[in-house]
């Protein structure tokens, strides 16, 4: 059960328009683990998340990504989702006219269909999402509203976690889901994530702040800088980064070995 | 099918008029002058060319090149034929008025659901009825200098409908005008509708245009609305003509104090189609909504051209037009909000959005504000674009396949317009209609599951 590798990234290099952003990422996440990635602005955290999730428009210059033993590179974003991958966006997209309930029903049932499971009917579906919505303390009417439209920053982030809870992914990547949240909302979000924790699943949490990691306690902390993971350590590393910033890690990494 | 002969435009219309004048020797005295004024206006300008500012994106050469003939002899339609037409609100509770090539079909129409005190009568009969004083009403609010098709309608209309809703009468049952075109090549129809909504009255008017066959015909109806003070009219016009046909509709509305005029347009058919909409906001505190959706593929051209004339203070007007264009289709939007000097506190908003589903589809859009008052709130905007890749990606990360994600976004785009229709059943049916039509677009035939 433990040490079962869920995500294996090997020497991943990616960029846009000829410019390298990820310059050789190595990362292995096992079932049951929570990893955190921290790093300065522009270091490539969101790019890594996007490449894992299957966003088009990035040139893959080299390396591999394997998820649950399957090569992700040739898979579309929706196929990756069906395999159990979820990305909570740093900036969730507003989609006018697409009703949240309608969208979620399609997302859940398409996923179930792809997995060979029976689709939920209207009654089952409503019962299911109402129970998930309760967890996230979202505004009453949000299920009836257009996806993310008119949501505050915090509501959007909670909506991401709500969708995650509803889709029950094997592996969730959270890109700065904590930014813009007050402490109560932060607890709600952390609770949502912790509910998913288990021996068969894993989470990759991208954040700038230790504060989230007080609630979602990571097993491993990585520092990403200029497209490379320059340091990996235990959860205490996050405290150290919060206190001392990144400069010392960057200096340390630049020392010739 | 009749042969399409190419001759000089003026010949066919002017010749046709001589025949009409002769046939109408015994018509009411005002009618021939009324027609002649239309014909004179037409003769002055001829059919528009791209040099006309109001027609510069809409090349009507295919219309000019066809020698159309007005339909003078009323044909009679079998009930079974009507049953075969997929017109909207078929099972709904409505008063139905059926027209074939501009002529009222009494036997297929059912006015029994209209309250007794409504004056509802075919235009042919109304013209002959002196007590209705049509000479004082018809064409009162129309003008033709920028629209030769409306001028031709004045010259050639044979029939249509006259509806007068008395003061305070709220009609729950929608009135459905069903206009059918036989679809014979070179046939031209000029139905004329006159609708007056008395003070505090209320009515939903559904107007739909369909074809019995796929010929090259012209349908150029004119509809006049007189919406009196505090009246409430919801008008829903659906254009589902033959893909070979030409549909040039003229809508004129004169709206009174604190009235509501909501006019919706769904355009799906026609090789060239145009709604020429002119609304005069002629009382304080009224609300006027023009709301349209055009779907075009192949080499269709769909044009919406409107002028909203704010001539009293404190009026709200909103124009929302969305177009979904595939293949080589073209969308044209031309909207002008005119705010007269006395029209202070005007609140006007105009948007036109075009969604291009293919590289060859194009849209021309020209939203205009012309403001002579100083204390007003007016906004306008236009967009031409493809589906939002960012939104598609977002949906896909949640497990929604690409084809489904695209449909969701297109549906949402159409929904922005459809959702503004107040009448629930009609709204839901239109939603279905739009979706059925969109599913036929090449774009949706081609998208794979990845
Ligand atoms: N699609 C793109 N096109 C051009 N440049 C991009 C694109 N995506 C990322 N970049 C660039 O790559 C670098 C890394 O961006 P990324 O968003 O991954 O950083 P980040 O670590 O998530 O930063 P932050 O902490 O601010 O969220 C930045 O310099 C960014 O401008
Ligand atoms: Mg980022």
């Amino acid at each position: 059960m433990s040490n079962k590798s869920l995500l294996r990234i090997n020497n991943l290099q990616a960029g846009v328009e000829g410019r390298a952003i990820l310059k050789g990422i190595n990362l292995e996440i096992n079932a049951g683990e929570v990893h955190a990635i921290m790093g300065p602005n522009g270091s490539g955290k969101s790019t890594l998340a996007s490449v894992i999730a299957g966003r088009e428009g990035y040139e893959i210059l080299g390396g591999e990504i394997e998820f649950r033993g399957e090569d992700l590179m040739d898979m579309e974003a929706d196929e990756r989702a069906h395999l159990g991958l979820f990305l909570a966006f740093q900036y969730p997209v507003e989609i006018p006219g697409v009703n949240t309930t309608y969208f979620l029903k399609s997302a859940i049932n398409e996923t179930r269909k792809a997995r060979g499971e029976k689709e939920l009917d209207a009654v089952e579906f409503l019962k299911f999402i109402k129970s998930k919505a309760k967890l996230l303390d979202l505004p009453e009417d949000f299920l009836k509203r257009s996806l993310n439209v008119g949501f505050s920053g915090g509501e959007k982030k909670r909506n991401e976690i709500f969708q995650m809870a509803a889709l029950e992914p094997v592996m969730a990547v959270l890109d700065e889901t904590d930014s813009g949240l007050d402490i109560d909302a932060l607890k709600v979000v952390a609770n949502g994530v912790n509910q998913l924790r288990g021996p068969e699943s894993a989470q990759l949490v991208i954040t700038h702040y230790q504060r989230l990691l007080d609630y979602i306690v990571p097993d491993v902390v990585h520092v990403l800088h200029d497209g490379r993971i320059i340091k990996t350590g235990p959860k205490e590393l996050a405290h150290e980064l919060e206190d001392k910033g990144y400069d010392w890690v960057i200096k340390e990494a630049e020392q010739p070995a | 099918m009749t042969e399409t002969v190419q001759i000089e435009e003026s010949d066919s219309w002017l010749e046709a008029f001589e025949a009409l004048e002769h046939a109408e020797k015994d018509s009411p005295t005002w009618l021939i002058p009324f027609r002649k004024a239309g014909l004179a206006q037409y003769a002055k300008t001829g059919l528009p060319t791209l040099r006309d500012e109001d027609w510069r994106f809409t090349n009507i050469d295919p219309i000019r090149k066809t020698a159309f003939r007005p339909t003078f002899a009323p044909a009679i339609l079998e009930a079974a034929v009507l049953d075969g037409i997929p017109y909207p609100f078929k099972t709904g509770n409505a008063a139905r008025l059926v027209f074939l090539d501009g002529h009222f079909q009494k036997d297929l129409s059912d006015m029994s659901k209209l309250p007794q005190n409504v004056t509802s009568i075919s235009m042919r009969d109304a013209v002959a009825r002196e007590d209705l004083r049509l000479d004082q009403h018809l064409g009162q609010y129309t003008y033709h200098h920028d629209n030769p098709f409306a001028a031709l309608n004045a010259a050639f209309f044979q029939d249509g409908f006259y509806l007068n809703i008395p003061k305070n009468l709220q009609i729950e049952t929608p009135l459905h005008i069903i206009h059918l075109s036989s679809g014979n090549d070179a046939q031209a129809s000029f139905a004329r509708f006159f609708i007056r909504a008395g003070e505090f009255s209320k009515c939903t008017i559904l107007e739909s245009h369909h074809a019995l066959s796929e010929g090259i015909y012209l349908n150029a109806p004119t509809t006049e609305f007189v919406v009196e003070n505090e009246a409430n009219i919801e008008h829903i016009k659906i254009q589902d003509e033959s893909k070979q046909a030409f549909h040039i509709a003229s809508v004129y509305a004169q709206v009174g104090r604190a009235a509501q005029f909501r006019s919706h347009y769904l355009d799906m058919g026609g090789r060239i189609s145009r709604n020429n909409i002119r609304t005069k906001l002629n009382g304080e505190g009224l609300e006027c909504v023009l709301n349209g959706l055009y779907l075009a593929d192949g080499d269709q051209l769909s044009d919406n051209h409107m002028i909203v004339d704010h001539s009293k203070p404190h009026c709200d007007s909103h124009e929302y037009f969305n177009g979904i264009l595939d293949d080589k289709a073209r969308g044209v939007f031309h909207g002008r909000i005119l705010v007269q000097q006395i029209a202070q506190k005007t609140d006007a908003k105009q948007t036109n959005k075009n969604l291009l589903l293919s590289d060859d589809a194009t849209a021309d859009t020209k939203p205009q504000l012309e403001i002579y008052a100083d204390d007003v709130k007016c906004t306008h905007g236009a967009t031409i674009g493809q589906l939002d890749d960012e939104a598609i990606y977002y949906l896909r990360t949640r497990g929604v396949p690409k084809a489904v994600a695209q449909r969701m976004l297109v549906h949402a785009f159409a929904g922005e317009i459809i959702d503004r229709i107040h009448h629930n059943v009609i709204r839901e049916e239109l939603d279905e209609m739009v979706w059925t039509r969109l599913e036929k677009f090449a774009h949706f035939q081609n998208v794979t599951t990845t």
Side-chain angles (χ1 to χ4, degrees):
Chain A
M1 167 192 109
S2 68
N3 282 346
K4 188 175 92 179
S5 173
L6 272 186
L7 183 74
R8 185 181 287 134
I9 300 179
N10 180 30
N11 193 27
L12 177 67
Q13 300 155 64
V16 269
E17 285 151 15
R19 182 186 148 215
I21 300 171
L22 302 180
K23 301 174 180 171
I25 302 275
N26 293 297
L27 178 66
E28 178 147 13
I29 301 178
N30 295 322
E33 292 177 352
V34 174
H35 288 225
I37 292 187
M38 304 180 83
N41 292 124
S43 56
K45 302 181 298 294
S46 293
T47 303
L48 176 61
S50 298
V51 172
I52 295 173
R55 187 196 195 101
E56 286 168 14
Y58 288 98
E59 295 155 39
I60 307 299
L61 306 166
E64 292 107 46
I65 309 178
E66 241 178 43
F67 176 58
R68 302 176 74 187
E70 295 199 43
D71 180 8
L72 283 191
M73 287 304 192
D74 293 327
M75 274 188 212
E76 300 291 340
D78 43 302
E79 296 172 305
R80 299 182 196 203
H82 298 161
L83 202 58
L85 199 62
F86 181 90
L87 170 63
F89 281 46
Q90 180 172 3
Y91 303 108
V93 183
E94 293 193 13
I95 310 188
V98 173
N99 167 280
T100 302
T101 306
Y102 168 72
F103 147 72
L104 257 181
K105 187 164 181 222
S106 168
I108 287 174
N109 278 339
E110 291 287 352
T111 301
R112 294 180 72 97
K113 207 158 75 184
R115 291 179 185 162
E117 296 164 11
K118 192 180 132 312
E119 293 178 43
L120 300 181
D121 66 27
V123 178
E124 292 166 329
F125 168 75
L126 269 174
K127 209 173 128 193
F128 177 69
I129 52 163
K130 287 217 167 122
S131 70
K132 298 289 179 186
K134 240 190 245 157
L135 269 176
L136 274 307
D137 192 27
L138 276 153
E140 277 279 300
D141 63 339
F142 91 100
L143 280 171
K144 288 187 208 134
R145 280 159 58 180
S146 286
L147 198 46
N148 291 324
V149 177
F151 283 32
S152 70
E155 283 169 357
K156 283 182 189 164
K157 296 301 178 78
R158 269 182 285 163
N159 194 11
E160 293 291 280
I161 299 306
F162 163 69
Q163 292 175 40
M164 182 194 74
L167 289 164
E168 299 173 324
V170 176
M171 167 136 179
V173 180
L174 312 181
D175 191 358
E176 295 197 28
T177 304
D178 53 334
S179 45
L181 294 185
D182 60 33
I183 195 71
D184 292 330
L186 188 77
K187 285 183 193 163
V188 169
V189 162
N191 181 38
V193 176
N194 288 330
Q195 298 249 349
L196 277 187
R197 287 183 82 156
E200 298 298 329
S201 68
Q203 289 79 33
L204 177 60
V205 181
I206 296 170
T207 182
H208 285 288
Y209 307 105
Q210 163 59 36
R211 138 188 120 122
L212 176 68
L213 304 179
D214 288 340
Y215 298 100
I216 306 172
V217 182
D219 300 294
V220 187
V221 175
H222 307 277
V223 179
L224 188 66
H225 171 65
D226 192 22
R228 289 186 186 89
I229 290 178
I230 56 168
K231 192 173 181 71
T232 294
K235 63 174 186 284
E236 289 73 23
L237 178 57
H239 284 283
E240 222 175 329
L241 292 168
E242 178 109 344
D243 293 344
K244 301 199 279 181
Y246 294 108
D247 285 355
W248 65 276
V249 196
I250 296 169
K251 275 211 191 85
E252 199 179 278
E254 280 166 357
Q255 300 283 322
Chain B
M1 266 203 290
T2 23
E3 282 249 306
T4 312
V5 213
Q6 296 199 1
I7 51 166
E8 278 300 306
E9 54 183 80
S10 48
D11 288 7
S12 83
W13 294 116
L14 298 177
E15 271 169 28
F17 193 77
E18 277 173 29
L20 174 63
E21 208 177 348
H22 184 74
E24 283 192 350
K25 278 198 306 282
D26 302 326
S27 62
T29 51
W30 60 271
L31 187 59
I32 290 293
F34 181 93
R35 294 193 184 291
K36 276 190 170 160
L39 192 76
Q41 181 59 52
Y42 161 76
K44 210 154 112 189
T45 58
L47 291 182
T49 68
L50 297 180
R51 284 188 301 278
D52 289 284
E53 188 54 31
D54 286 319
W55 295 82
R56 64 181 247 223
F57 300 119
T58 301
N59 185 351
I60 58 130
D61 273 349
I63 304 181
R64 194 192 325 279
K65 284 182 186 141
T66 309
F68 286 105
R69 280 177 292 275
T71 315
F72 293 136
I76 300 296
L77 193 68
E78 302 278 318
V81 177
L82 182 63
D83 292 341
I85 302 290
Y87 62 84
F89 207 55
K90 208 166 196 167
T91 54
N93 185 30
R96 289 197 178 79
L97 306 174
V98 180
F99 301 83
L100 178 65
D101 303 321
H103 295 271
F104 184 53
Q105 301 289 301
K106 190 164 187 292
D107 293 341
L108 295 187
S109 300
D110 175 11
M111 287 184 279
S112 64
K113 288 181 178 130
L114 284 177
Q116 289 294 314
N117 48 351
V118 173
T119 311
S120 58
I121 171 172
S122 78
M123 188 55 84
R124 180 181 294 277
D125 291 344
V127 163
R129 256 186 55 184
E130 271 177 41
D131 62 319
L132 294 179
R133 299 308 312 260
L134 239 62
D135 56 322
Q136 313 233 323
H137 297 296
L138 207 63
Q140 204 57 23
Y141 307 112
T142 66
Y143 51 93
H144 304 142
H145 62 83
D146 61 349
N147 182 0
F149 293 94
L152 286 175
N153 181 293
F156 289 109
F157 80 92
Q158 293 294 295
D159 205 344
F161 211 76
Y162 172 91
L163 183 80
N164 189 358
I165 306 166
K167 190 173 172 176
N168 294 329
L169 182 68
Q170 317 238 325
I171 307 178
E172 285 309 319
T173 315
L175 179 84
H176 188 175
I177 294 168
I178 302 173
H179 186 278
L180 307 170
S181 289
S182 312
N184 299 324
D185 281 351
Q187 196 169 6
S189 305
F190 294 101
R192 185 113 194 164
F193 303 107
F194 182 93
I195 294 157
R196 180 185 167 275
E199 288 188 2
F200 297 95
S201 69
K202 187 175 178 195
C203 189
T204 301
I205 292 158
L206 179 60
E207 172 189 351
S208 62
H209 296 264
H210 312 269
L212 301 180
S213 66
E214 294 285 298
I216 306 170
Y217 60 88
L218 169 68
N219 182 15
T222 291
T223 308
E224 294 173 64
F225 285 100
V226 180
V227 185
E228 302 286 6
N229 297 344
E230 314 262 354
N232 183 334
I233 289 291
E234 177 159 59
H235 168 233
I236 303 129
K237 175 174 180 284
I238 297 157
Q239 183 271 106
D240 191 17
E241 305 276 13
S242 145
K243 288 259 203 118
Q244 307 277 333
F246 307 105
H247 177 101
I248 313 280
S250 305
V251 176
Y252 297 87
Q254 166 93 2
V255 190
R257 181 176 46 75
Q260 261 206 51
F261 180 63
R262 304 172 64 80
S263 190
H264 311 278
Y265 299 83
L266 171 60
D267 285 279
M268 304 190 288
R271 175 163 164 209
I272 297 174
S273 72
R274 165 144 158 160
N275 290 307
N276 218 77
I277 310 160
R278 302 289 180 265
T279 59
K280 188 163 179 68
L281 312 191
N282 209 27
E284 295 192 13
L286 65 82
E287 191 191 358
C288 172
V289 177
L290 304 179
N291 179 51
L293 176 66
Y294 43 100
L295 316 176
D297 66 350
D299 58 1
Q300 287 184 287
L301 184 152
S302 185
D303 178 356
N304 282 282
H305 189 290
M306 66 211 67
I307 300 175
V308 176
D309 179 354
H310 281 259
S311 42
K312 287 280 153 55
H314 292 284
C315 292
D316 290 1
S317 78
H318 300 278
E319 294 87 57
Y320 310 96
F321 281 76
N322 283 11
I324 303 175
L325 307 165
D326 200 4
D327 301 330
K328 291 184 173 147
R330 296 190 56 190
V332 177
F333 174 84
H334 187 131
R336 193 158 123 224
I337 299 174
L338 171 63
V339 182
Q340 313 266 13
Q341 200 170 353
I342 65 154
Q344 302 294 356
K345 305 284 180 192
T346 285
D347 187 343
K349 187 175 171 190
Q350 175 174 251
T351 57
N352 172 232
K353 297 190 203 168
N354 294 280
L355 181 58
L356 308 183
L357 296 179
S358 82
D359 292 341
D360 295 329
T362 53
D364 292 294
T365 175
K366 200 174 155 198
Q368 277 181 297
L369 297 174
E370 196 179 326
I371 302 171
Y372 299 102
D374 48 26
D375 185 11
V376 299
K377 207 170 92 193
C378 294
T379 60
H380 66 164
T383 59
I384 300 171
Q386 280 93 32
L387 286 173
D388 180 359
D389 287 338
E390 186 70 15
I392 290 178
Y393 166 61
Y394 181 82
L395 295 170
R396 293 184 82 179
T397 64
R398 307 297 139 105
V400 178
K402 184 177 181 182
V404 179
Q406 289 188 335
R407 280 178 169 77
M408 271 186 194
L409 296 183
V410 173
H411 207 157
F413 185 79
E416 286 178 17
I417 301 298
I418 303 281
D419 287 349
R420 291 201 185 87
I421 297 171
H422 282 184
H423 194 285
N424 291 331
V425 183
I426 295 175
R427 184 182 61 245
E428 278 158 27
E429 276 202 27
L430 287 212
D431 192 47
E432 284 273 336
M433 262 185 115
V434 165
W435 207 238
T436 309
R437 173 82 178 91
L438 283 172
E439 289 288 343
K440 292 190 185 129
F441 275 21
H443 182 82
F444 292 108
Q445 311 272 312
N446 297 342
V447 282
T448 51
T449 44
T450 59

